[in-house]
Amino acid sequence: MKILVLNSGSSSLKFQLFELPDLTVIASGLIERIGGEYSSVRLTFCDSAGAEQVIKKNMVVPEHRPAIAIMSELLLESGAMANVQELAGIGHRVVHGGEFFHEPTLIDRAVMEAIEELVPLAPLHNPANLIGIRVAMEHAPTVPQVAVFDTAFHQSIPEHGYLYALPYTLYEQHKVRRYGFHGTSHDYVAKQAAEHLGMVLGELNIISLHLGNGASAAAIQGGQCIDTSMGLTPLEGLIMGTRSGDLDPAILFYLARETGMTIDELDDMLNKKSGLKGICGENDMRTITELAEQGNHQARLALTMFCYRLKKYIGAYIAALGGVDCIVFTGGIGENSAIVRQLSCQGLERLGIGLDVENNAFRQEGILEVQGADSPVKILVVPTDEELEIATQTLQVIQNL
Ligand code: AMP
């Protein structure tokens, strides 16, 4: 039997097929630029002789519904799946679970209505996630479908951590509060870190840094999230590829009054034209690092600002946790950028954080320890795997049916 995981973004569909009982990956696919002039479609799978094969196509995929039909055809055509009866369950990544969902949940009509109700809080993602669920239900009506929410891991944050200092009625009437995102990744890497260290997760204080195009930090006490940097939306917190992260909210009133910028223009600026891109014109950390090495002032500044913001969050979360045992770097930047890890830990030796520059420059598959021999705090690079975590959580739900 198999588990299929669907991860629908606003213009992409990522999917992975796992074989039970060990959750071995047997096929992975990605459809990008859905709704664009041409979409790229890619499936990687193992043929009957065990050799890796790749199918690549460029085609018109106007929306998510046909994208899912293409996914089914590819899985059947490649032989990765013989028919939907082989599926023990389908796991769906759902971005926003609001305050309704604290754990992976078997999908029924009421769950779908709740995801729909949360569309205003995640207008780009929840509708795509819902289409994925609806179409999967049409294709495989007898297969249990499970929703795994990006926000669920952060539901353990206490009231004093998730409320904004705004009129309380805004929370009561409009649910304005911190929700946090990347929860599946933070949850996965924290468990991986504890297992790697041979320690009990329930006894560890972990700061998890998920640094990709979007970036967030989480303070995890005994496996429970007690604070995270993203807020009502994924805009708050760390500096990101194109998002500003934290800023003085009065900047927006000032700009609206001074320049006449509209709400939509301000939204666009903060989400798409700020962050690393705003500072140096580039949002890919590889390019920024190269430019910084060549002496480009703005690229160097963007790198320095990115790491300084990270360092401030590390400090804040050490205070929130009352001390830290382990710092975890993950995501495209966290896993690959030695310079970001180095600069964000630099000068934190008095807090017990001592990164070893040589260990940090080393590259290997799997988990890497980059602290120095006399650093009380472990510093780990842990490759994230959101799809595997969704498959694991889906399996847990269907095993309890
Ligand atoms: P993600 O969203 O997790 O896929 O991460 C994407 C980001 O990871 C890219 O925008 C790059 O900035 C960054 N990244 C990927 N590989 C490297 C690398 N070797 N060095 C620095 N940054 C990298």
Side-chain angles (χ1 to χ4, degrees):
M1 294 295 278
K2 300 180 170 81
I3 294 222
L4 176 64
V5 168
L6 296 192
N7 182 346
S8 318
S10 52
S11 62
S12 65
L13 171 69
K14 209 170 165 187
F15 54 95
Q16 230 164 36
L17 191 64
F18 296 85
E19 182 90 57
L20 293 177
D22 299 331
L23 293 177
T24 321
V25 178
I26 47 178
S28 327
L30 180 63
I31 305 181
E32 288 182 292
R33 295 188 299 278
I34 296 174
E37 201 177 337
Y38 274 100
S39 306
S40 69
V41 177
R42 184 188 165 94
L43 180 81
T44 309
F45 64 102
C46 285
D47 64 18
S48 50
E52 191 174 283
Q53 302 286 346
V54 181
I55 301 177
K56 277 190 199 169
K57 295 181 183 180
N58 274 329
M59 55 203 293
V60 180
V61 186
E63 42 175 315
H64 278 80
R65 185 169 275 276
I68 291 173
I70 291 165
M71 172 196 77
S72 299
E73 279 163 27
L74 282 173
L75 290 174
L76 296 170
E77 177 192 318
S78 63
M81 190 173 80
N83 54 52
V84 291
Q85 277 73 45
E86 282 189 345
L87 293 177
I90 301 179
H92 297 265
R93 173 189 178 218
V94 179
V95 166
H96 220 304
E99 288 187 322
F100 297 129
F101 301 106
H102 299 223
E103 53 192 18
T105 305
L106 186 71
I107 301 174
D108 59 15
R109 184 173 293 276
V111 171
M112 287 169 74
E113 280 168 11
I115 298 172
E116 180 99 61
E117 210 178 296
L118 293 164
V119 164
L121 287 174
L124 294 179
H125 291 95
N126 273 28
N129 302 153
L130 268 174
I131 294 173
I133 294 170
R134 287 202 183 100
V135 180
M137 282 182 153
E138 287 164 20
H139 280 253
T142 55
V143 178
Q145 317 252 345
V146 176
V148 178
F149 298 92
D150 265 25
T151 48
F153 182 63
H154 303 301
Q155 280 296 301
S156 48
I157 297 175
E159 209 175 16
H160 64 260
Y162 71 66
L163 275 183
Y164 291 107
L166 292 168
Y168 193 74
T169 47
L170 292 180
Y171 169 60
E172 291 176 312
Q173 291 166 16
H174 300 285
K175 294 286 167 231
V176 173
R177 54 160 285 179
R178 174 181 312 287
Y179 291 99
F181 300 88
H182 293 143
T184 311
S185 175
H186 288 301
D187 189 8
Y188 175 79
V189 297
K191 288 188 284 206
Q192 288 281 308
E195 196 182 315
H196 171 85
L197 295 171
M199 296 174 82
V200 179
L201 182 61
E203 292 170 4
L204 284 176
N205 282 351
I206 295 177
I207 297 175
S208 164
L209 304 168
H210 178 110
L211 312 176
N213 257 325
S216 70
I220 305 169
Q221 193 158 53
Q224 302 278 306
C225 184
I226 63 155
D227 207 348
T228 194
S229 58
M230 283 179 169
L232 175 79
T233 75
L235 183 56
E236 193 182 346
L238 302 175
I239 293 175
M240 303 176 223
T242 61
R243 287 174 245 165
S244 63
D246 296 337
L247 79 166
D248 179 352
I251 290 170
L252 305 179
F253 323 138
Y254 174 77
L255 283 177
R257 289 187 192 115
E258 286 293 309
T259 69
M261 283 174 84
T262 63
I263 290 175
D264 284 346
E265 284 167 347
L266 290 168
D267 187 330
D268 190 62
M269 178 192 76
L270 290 185
N271 277 296
K272 299 193 181 141
K273 298 180 181 150
S274 299
L276 297 169
K277 194 179 181 78
I279 301 156
C280 72
E282 298 287 344
N283 63 310
D284 190 307
M285 191 52 89
R286 284 164 289 205
T287 316
I288 293 168
T289 309
E290 272 172 34
L291 289 171
E293 280 166 3
Q294 290 159 14
N296 180 300
H297 172 72
Q298 272 163 275
R300 200 179 285 169
L301 183 62
L303 179 63
T304 308
M305 287 172 68
F306 183 91
C307 297
Y308 179 63
R309 178 81 54 91
L310 257 177
K311 190 188 292 196
K312 289 208 291 188
Y313 267 93
I314 293 172
Y317 286 175
I318 291 175
L321 290 163
V324 63
D325 302 303
C326 174
I327 296 180
V328 178
F329 285 90
T330 194
I333 299 173
E335 291 167 33
N336 296 299
S337 175
I339 187 73
V340 165
R341 296 193 296 261
Q342 186 185 333
L343 293 179
S344 53
C345 291
Q346 207 165 55
L348 298 182
E349 292 77 11
R350 288 172 72 175
L351 299 176
I353 298 166
L355 181 129
D356 183 278
V357 176
E358 263 179 42
N359 289 351
N360 186 45
F362 195 71
R363 293 181 73 105
Q364 67 176 31
E365 290 276 304
I367 299 178
L368 177 69
E369 289 195 28
V370 300
Q371 76 279 351
D374 50 5
S375 169
V377 176
K378 303 280 186 198
I379 309 173
L380 302 187
V381 180
V382 181
T384 195
D385 194 338
E386 285 169 289
E387 281 72 29
L388 176 60
E389 182 62 23
I390 294 171
T392 307
Q393 296 193 12
T394 300
L395 185 60
Q396 282 161 2
V397 170
I398 60 179
Q399 277 172 339
N400 288 328
L401 288 180

